Amino acid sequence: MTGSYYWKGYFHFYPTDTFMDYFNVLYWVLYDDPYMIPTANYPAMCFFLLKLMYSFLNPNDITVSSGSDGLRQNNVAMMGFYFVLALSLITIYYFCKGALDDRGDKNMALVLLFTGPLLFLVERGNLLIIAYALLLVYLNYYDSDSKRKRYIAYIALSISASIKLYPALFGILTLKRKNIKETVHLALLGIVVFVLPFFYFDGIITFKEWLGG
């Protein structure tokens, strides 16, 4: 009706910047120390995950001079992004559906995939979509009768928090179950999963660089 007149009021205002939250970070891992980029203030887990995705690329096809836009035009890099996006959306749908089934709202999970905030994440290609998918795993399993599922939940929350930090607040739900032993396990797991990726780079030095960023 408006010919996308109001698009920039909700989505990103650079029309050629779609998915670049992902491809900018993918570009930064070309450097041995991604924190040499002044705006690289992501936790180390983000760079570790993108290092894994970068390993699929042929180094001969990528140069620093090609920039992050060049990575977005590379079909291998784009398919890697599509895989991450598709897997995240499938996880979000599956665990939203699992949470809503008991209420009979089976179709609501599909509707949620088309809500504004989630579409915004897709348009940006932001790694928060991974953190959100993993957070939903935790919310479905943290109070399960199965100990195995509870620990899957703890691992999922730990990775989620190591990507975007604030999902760690949801650990309060485990504390409310009054299982002190598992709460301690969750806290220790969260610390280890958050800190360990820094040692993939330069350890304490990298941690200080991240704080500086």
Side-chain angles (χ1 to χ4, degrees):
M1 291 175 66
T2 68
S4 75
Y5 179 82
Y6 294 105
W7 183 270
K8 295 178 183 178
Y10 195 92
F11 292 98
H12 201 271
F13 49 85
Y14 288 138
T16 60
D17 201 62
T18 298
F19 304 147
M20 291 309 291
D21 282 0
Y22 177 91
F23 287 101
N24 283 332
V25 181
L26 188 65
Y27 175 71
W28 292 342
V29 301
L30 269 70
Y31 298 92
D32 292 332
D33 179 12
Y35 289 98
M36 69 179 289
I37 310 296
T39 53
N41 56 4
Y42 289 78
M45 177 62 80
C46 298
F47 293 116
F48 176 72
L49 293 175
L50 269 296
K51 275 282 189 183
L52 292 178
M53 301 310 299
Y54 181 76
S55 67
F56 288 97
L57 298 171
N58 185 336
N60 296 326
D61 295 338
I62 303 297
T63 63
V64 172
S65 61
S66 67
S68 50
D69 284 331
L71 279 172
R72 188 176 57 174
Q73 295 172 23
N74 180 283
N75 62 346
V76 178
M78 178 55 77
M79 289 305 293
F81 167 70
Y82 174 76
F83 175 80
V84 170
L85 180 63
L87 188 60
S88 298
L89 290 174
I90 290 169
T91 302
I92 290 169
Y93 171 75
Y94 179 82
F95 283 97
C96 277
K97 186 174 182 297
L100 294 168
D101 272 354
D102 292 340
R103 297 170 49 194
D105 298 332
K106 295 182 180 181
N107 296 323
M108 186 57 69
L110 186 61
V111 173
L112 288 172
L113 292 180
F114 294 92
T115 52
L118 194 55
L119 291 177
F120 183 87
L121 281 183
V122 171
E123 190 277 330
R124 296 310 311 134
N126 196 288
L127 294 179
L128 179 58
I129 200 166
I130 303 175
Y132 177 49
L134 291 170
L135 178 59
L136 287 174
V137 175
Y138 171 77
L139 291 175
N140 273 263
Y141 285 167
Y142 81 93
D143 59 350
S144 171
D145 293 333
S146 166
K147 185 176 180 179
R148 180 178 64 86
K149 286 186 176 181
R150 290 199 305 275
Y151 275 86
I152 289 174
Y154 302 156
I155 293 170
L157 182 63
S158 297
I159 299 173
S160 177
S162 69
I163 293 173
K164 283 292 180 180
L165 295 181
Y166 50 81
L169 291 172
F170 285 85
I172 293 173
L173 296 175
T174 295
L175 180 62
K176 286 180 67 176
R177 294 184 69 248
K178 298 181 179 179
N179 189 328
I180 301 302
K181 181 180 178 181
E182 290 192 10
T183 302
V184 171
H185 288 172
L186 173 59
L188 291 175
L189 185 62
I191 292 170
V192 170
V193 172
F194 178 77
V195 171
L196 207 56
F198 286 96
F199 288 88
Y200 177 81
F201 300 100
D202 291 317
I204 299 299
I205 295 174
T206 302
F207 187 81
K208 290 180 178 178
E209 289 175 335
W210 168 70
L211 287 177

